[in-house]
Structure formats: structure tokens, C-alpha cells
Amino acid sequence: MLKPIHTIECAQDGTVEQVYVQKDSYVYEWERLFLVKTEDGKLIDVSIGASGHITEINVSAGDPINRKLPLALLQDDFVITGSD
């Protein structure tokens, strides 16, 4: 069975304000994973449309990021969970 790894990225440059997940934690589709403050001061939530286990976290609160930096990796479990 395939278990693809998804890269979790932010679409904008900024600073990580909060990390809501830990390595090996299970996350659901569209669950809030990171809070990022963009360069223009907006706060945005980072999530992903897949569920599974976080296999790697590459940033901590306070770290500057750019849109090419992988914030974390997620191993997909192929369970359709859906959320509001």
C-alpha cells in the first residue's frame, strides 16, 4: 500500500508564530498545523488537505520562513475524514 509523504509549506514569507503539532502526532484534513505572521503583519493558518502522521517538523515558533521552506512532512493514511 502506498504511503506518500506530503510536504507542508506556507504560501507566503513570514515568521512562525505558533506550532500546533508535534512529531509523530496524528492530524486530520484541514486541521490547523502552524500559525504564521506574514511580512505585512497578517496572521494565517497553515493546514493541509490530507490526514496522517507528522513525520518531521523543521521549524519552531519565532523562525523566519519563506514559501520554499518545508515546515513539516506528513505521511498520508488515505483515510477520508472531512471537517468543517
Side-chain angles (χ1 to χ4, degrees):
M1 182 163 133
L2 294 175
K3 293 277 188 176
I5 302 292
H6 298 283
T7 302
I8 301 167
E9 299 170 334
C10 183
Q12 298 184 33
D13 298 343
T15 303
V16 176
E17 291 290 307
Q18 182 111 22
V19 178
Y20 296 110
V21 294
Q22 298 176 15
K23 186 177 184 287
D24 298 322
S25 62
Y26 184 85
V27 298
Y28 294 95
E29 296 174 45
W30 306 117
E31 181 178 342
R32 179 188 299 170
L33 306 175
F34 299 93
L35 180 66
V36 172
K37 187 173 191 176
T38 64
E39 292 180 335
D40 61 358
K42 294 180 185 173
L43 291 174
I44 59 171
D45 291 323
V46 177
S47 60
I48 188 167
S51 61
H53 287 90
I54 299 294
T55 60
E56 186 176 309
I57 297 179
N58 300 319
V59 295
S60 300
D63 287 352
I65 61 165
N66 64 55
R67 50 190 109 185
K68 295 180 182 178
L69 175 72
L71 305 179
L73 299 178
L74 174 104
Q75 185 169 8
D76 198 324
D77 66 0
F78 290 105
V79 175
I80 300 171
T81 56
S83 64
D84 295 338

